[in-house]
Amino acid sequence: MLYAEDLTEGQTFELGSYTIGEAEILEFAGKYDPVPIHTDPVAPAAGPFGGLIASGFNTIAIYQRLVVEAIWTKVAGIVGRSFEIRLPSPVRPGATLTGQSRIQKITIRPERRDAVVIFKTELVNDEQRPVLVLVLDALIHMRPAEQGRAQLG
């Protein structure tokens, strides 16, 4: 497990990849974002995006899946405190998303036994166009205090 003291500013975590299909876009949007550009495979063709696109929330859910597998299974996270999100390009059916997360800043707080860590993540599509840029402010545990110290007696 990586603790705050093990992390460095500029450190990068490579994310895996995720391919999204039309059925997933339709199912997710039908439950959580039921607007025609996300729920109708035909009508959006005449719209500004030229076809069906994934909901931004669907894109964020894919980010969460990738970042958990790449970071939160290895880093002693406590909680995310805030997000800043941009969705610069649409996600289309069949797109494979991948990317990386880079640590921008680490503020160790010894009095709290944690650190505030700022991660910037970018997901890109098959054409290397950014589809999500997310800045996360998270709390990370410091290494636990030594166990088993001799008791004064």
Side-chain angles (χ1 to χ4, degrees):
M1 185 63 57
L2 297 173
Y3 294 94
E5 301 92 327
D6 303 319
L7 303 175
T8 59
E9 292 181 4
Q11 184 173 357
T12 300
F13 295 87
E14 295 296 324
L15 304 182
S17 65
Y18 188 92
T19 302
I20 187 168
E22 182 176 294
E24 179 182 348
I25 290 172
L26 295 171
E27 180 182 354
F28 186 96
K31 286 176 123 176
Y32 302 111
D33 196 357
V35 296
I37 60 172
H38 307 314
T39 61
D40 186 335
V42 178
F49 299 107
L52 183 71
I53 63 170
S55 165
F57 292 105
N58 200 164
T59 304
I60 294 165
I62 293 167
Y63 150 83
Q64 183 64 16
R65 172 66 181 257
L66 293 174
V67 83
V68 164
E69 292 173 355
I71 298 175
W72 302 120
T73 58
K74 300 173 181 119
V75 174
I78 300 170
V79 69
R81 300 189 324 166
S82 69
F83 296 97
E84 177 184 315
I85 301 168
R86 288 188 318 109
L87 301 162
S89 300
V91 173
R92 301 193 181 282
T96 298
L97 307 183
T98 190
Q100 62 179 219
S101 187
R102 178 180 305 273
I103 296 175
Q104 291 189 308
K105 184 170 175 61
I106 300 172
T107 305
I108 300 285
R109 304 186 315 175
E111 71 284 359
R112 292 180 176 241
R113 304 285 311 142
D114 70 9
V116 176
V117 179
I118 309 297
F119 292 88
K120 182 177 182 182
T121 301
E122 183 174 275
L123 289 184
V124 298
N125 62 18
D126 306 291
E127 300 163 349
Q128 299 303 302
R129 293 187 66 182
V131 297
L132 177 134
V133 179
L134 187 146
V135 178
L136 167 66
D137 171 338
L139 295 180
I140 309 296
H141 286 288
M142 290 181 68
R143 189 169 303 289
E146 289 182 350
Q147 300 295 319
R149 289 185 179 177
Q151 297 287 326
L152 295 177

